[in-house]
Amino acid sequence: MAGRIRTTHVGSLPRPEPLVRKMWELIDGKDVDEQELEREIVDAIRTVVRRQLELGIDVVSDGEMSKTGFSNYIHERFSGFSGSVRFSSSEFADFPDLAARLFGNEAAAHIAMYNCTGPIELVDKDAVHRDIARFKEALGDHDPANAFLCAVTPGQITFNHPNQHYATHDEYLEAAADAMRYEYRAITDAGFNLQLDSPDLAMANHMVSDGSDVPEFETHVRSAIEAINRALDGIDPARVRLHVCWGNYPGPHHHDVAIAQILPELVKADVGTLSFEAADPRHEHEWEAFAGAELPDDLVLMPGVIDVQTNRIEHPRLVAQRLERFAEIVGPERVLAGTDCGFSTFVGWHNVDPEVGWAKLGALVEGARLASETL
């Protein structure tokens, strides 16, 4: 169908419970049978790839089955990180009892962040290639050009992991960019699309890691975008998408920065697709910001049209309406239907029942079909 709106999601999908338990043991420093863990990962990737293709998702992922988290997986691949980190958020200062209810569970207890206490150096070059090999095996004949792998951005690394080593924050950011370049290149060289996960570009306005030297928000956003472009040097922007969100947790989010404030900087990233929240009740209205924005002529918009914090399954017609708003701004060929964020950004961390999540992805596909027919 000419002008059909294609479908995807933000990457992470709930891991099977046995895999969750093994990964938690890994985080806890317990002995884990590596061969058994590998079998669990491979089986999980095969399952989530099959289910995505059966639903009709156009651009699929490996579900991040091999990672303990979308950003803290770097602990296993790079040196330079140790200790522990606490976070604080301005929104929870207004609702002090809420944080304990949201984060007082076993999954949250296993979300580990460390300080940067030494030079960031890649110590496991094979990790990304294992991800690639597992994913290719699960995809079979499916074209890797219609698949993507996720990686964290330099800005997110420096936001999550307070600097206790580098002389300046800019030096830290530059080191993180240089460190991540190998992974970015490996993913795109393998024929996959690369998704860069950078919630810091919105979250740093209302959240901070204790001891962080991240500068004031506007300065961080500009510097973080420059670091992304440094790390992407030589990679075709059309193969890269940038995901921005305000934090994948069911908080009040009433201190979230407006996307209109950061959009002029976001479009300076050397990427072909921009992924952002457009379904949750705090940000759905912000489609209006894109109507009057100066956007690159070839930028693909990937609005989240599925909320990943509620178990209510969106009606396909609502999904279609959300997509039609953006298609009227840039045309259906430049709209990629996505989700607000991942369904399980950290191992065991999900607020939507896993099977409900799959039903939501089904509604995404049906809504994209309806919008395509209307347009």
Side-chain angles (χ1 to χ4, degrees), residues 22-353:
K22 285 185 176 61
M23 286 189 159
W24 281 350
E25 290 175 359
L26 199 65
I27 293 170
D28 291 338
K30 297 179 180 178
D31 290 333
V32 175
D33 186 315
E34 292 186 5
Q35 290 185 337
E36 188 175 343
L37 177 62
E38 179 65 17
R39 285 194 295 271
E40 293 275 4
I41 292 171
V42 168
D43 287 345
I45 293 172
R46 289 171 178 166
T47 298
V48 297
V49 168
R50 173 181 55 79
R51 293 192 71 170
Q52 288 170 83
L53 294 176
E54 288 174 350
L55 280 176
I57 299 291
D58 292 300
V59 187
V60 303
S61 84
D62 67 345
E64 298 193 86
M65 294 293 117
S66 70
K67 296 177 179 176
T68 53
F70 85 96
S71 59
N72 57 355
Y73 75 93
I74 63 168
H75 302 163
E76 298 131 39
R77 303 187 182 190
F78 296 86
S79 64
F81 300 99
S82 63
S84 62
V85 176
R86 293 177 61 87
F87 285 85
S88 58
S89 173
S90 59
E91 64 185 315
F92 293 117
D94 295 336
F95 303 99
D97 295 331
L98 180 59
R101 290 201 296 273
L102 292 182
F103 301 106
N105 54 57
E106 192 174 11
H110 284 94
I111 301 176
M113 296 295 173
Y114 303 147
N115 295 295
C116 177
T117 55
I120 306 174
E121 296 178 350
L122 181 60
V123 294
D124 188 355
K125 280 193 170 185
D126 292 334
V128 65
H129 297 290
R130 291 194 295 271
D131 285 340
I132 290 167
R134 296 181 191 115
F135 196 19
K136 282 192 171 182
E137 188 275 336
L139 286 169
D141 294 333
H142 190 75
D143 188 351
N146 292 321
F148 70 98
L149 285 169
C150 299
V152 69
T153 60
Q156 185 68 27
I157 292 172
T158 63
F159 168 70
N160 277 159
H161 304 90
N163 177 24
Q164 296 182 2
H165 172 73
Y166 291 96
T168 66
H169 183 77
D170 285 342
E171 184 181 331
Y172 181 21
L173 198 55
E174 183 176 315
D178 290 343
M180 292 306 300
R181 182 180 293 114
Y182 179 85
E183 186 162 307
Y184 299 168
R185 175 70 72 173
I187 291 170
T188 54
D189 283 352
F192 293 111
N193 296 293
L194 167 66
Q195 177 175 296
L196 297 178
D197 291 321
S198 201
D200 62 292
L201 295 173
M203 285 183 71
N205 183 66
H206 69 273
M207 185 171 284
V208 64
S209 54
D210 292 350
S212 173
D213 69 347
V214 170
E216 59 91 22
F217 178 64
E218 288 79 8
T219 299
H220 172 72
V221 172
R222 287 194 297 271
S223 298
I225 294 290
E226 290 172 1
I228 286 171
N229 291 344
R230 174 187 176 92
L232 288 175
D233 185 40
I235 295 177
D236 181 2
R239 304 282 302 283
V240 186
R241 57 201 220 184
L242 176 64
H243 171 65
V244 179
C245 73
W246 287 258
N248 198 21
Y249 58 92
H253 287 279
H254 61 305
H255 289 176
D256 286 2
V257 65
I259 198 166
Q261 183 176 333
I262 58 176
L263 188 56
E265 295 300 325
L266 298 182
V267 298
K268 295 176 182 177
D270 292 336
V271 302
T273 299
L274 179 63
S275 162
F276 52 91
E277 295 181 29
D280 72 74
R282 190 69 195 181
H283 294 283
E284 183 178 2
H285 72 284
E286 292 189 314
W287 65 271
E288 297 171 324
F290 290 85
E294 293 186 16
L295 304 174
D297 292 338
D298 56 353
L299 182 67
V300 174
L301 299 183
M302 181 181 151
V305 291
I306 296 292
D307 187 342
V308 298
Q309 296 300 328
T310 174
N311 282 290
R312 293 194 180 190
I313 300 170
E314 288 80 355
H315 194 286
R317 187 65 210 130
L318 174 61
V319 173
Q321 289 171 352
R322 289 169 171 167
L323 290 170
E324 288 163 13
R325 295 168 184 165
F326 290 96
E328 289 171 1
I329 297 171
V330 297
E333 297 87 355
R334 288 174 54 198
V335 175
L336 181 62
T339 54
D340 273 352
C341 196
F343 280 100
S344 186
T345 45
F346 297 96
V347 61
W349 175 265
H350 51 265
N351 294 295
V352 171
D353 177 85

